Amino acid sequence: MTPDQSEADMMSAARTKVLTGFGIGSNIEPERNVQTALAALRYEFPDLLVSPVYRCKAVGFDGDPFLNLVVATETSQALPELQAMVKSLEAASGRSGQESKYSGRTLDIDILFYGGLVCRTEQIQLPRKDVVKYPYVLKPLTDILPDWVHPERLCTAAELWQGLVDAAESEQRLLHKHGVELTDMRFDRSSGSF
């Protein structure tokens, strides 16, 4: 949020289309829950970009591996509408919203970025810090939007990814260290399924 932009302005209804990214993860019936989420998002956003799917170890707790991916679209929906849609999709998968931070998830959908908005409030963290923190978010984002520019760091997703790779000395080492592996699951746009 810029100094001259009030929270009310930011929350206002429809605006011009903005590029918006979502992180999707699940480790409870992950194939079914991710498939259902993608179908709902594709219905809402027919031009949805879908990354490859990555399998990753649970972070912060012992649990089944997660399936993670990133999707992106241009939308004129206001941020509160998108937040409500995400919560509705999570609830439809059986997520109560009362789970501890480090526990299994039927479905976890995070709005990663909303145009160039930078906002740090109790309710909204944009862009999400996960984008630069976790390879299971940044790698799939880089796969579909390598030229996306982080509005705070002012560098592209590809440059951010390369920075993580350089720090780990290789992409393979980085992915292995974080328990991230590419799956053979690919989204078929024509059928709307894997």
Side-chain angles (χ1 to χ4, degrees), residues 138-156:
L138 185 54
K139 177 60 174 145
L141 174 60
T142 302
D143 289 340
I144 59 170
L145 292 171
D147 296 326
W148 171 77
V149 176
H150 191 287
E152 291 175 302
R153 303 225 176 165
L154 303 177
C155 53
T156 67

Side-chain angles (χ1 to χ4, degrees), residues 24 40 50 54 58-59 78-80 82 84-85 100 104 114-115 123 127 130 133 137 143 146 162 187:
I24 301 173
V50 180
Y54 290 83
V59 175
L79 191 53
L82 291 174
M85 178 191 65
S100 70
Y114 183 74
Q123 296 80 23
D130 296 359
K133 185 176 181 181
V137 177
D143 289 340
Q162 191 59 52
F187 185 70

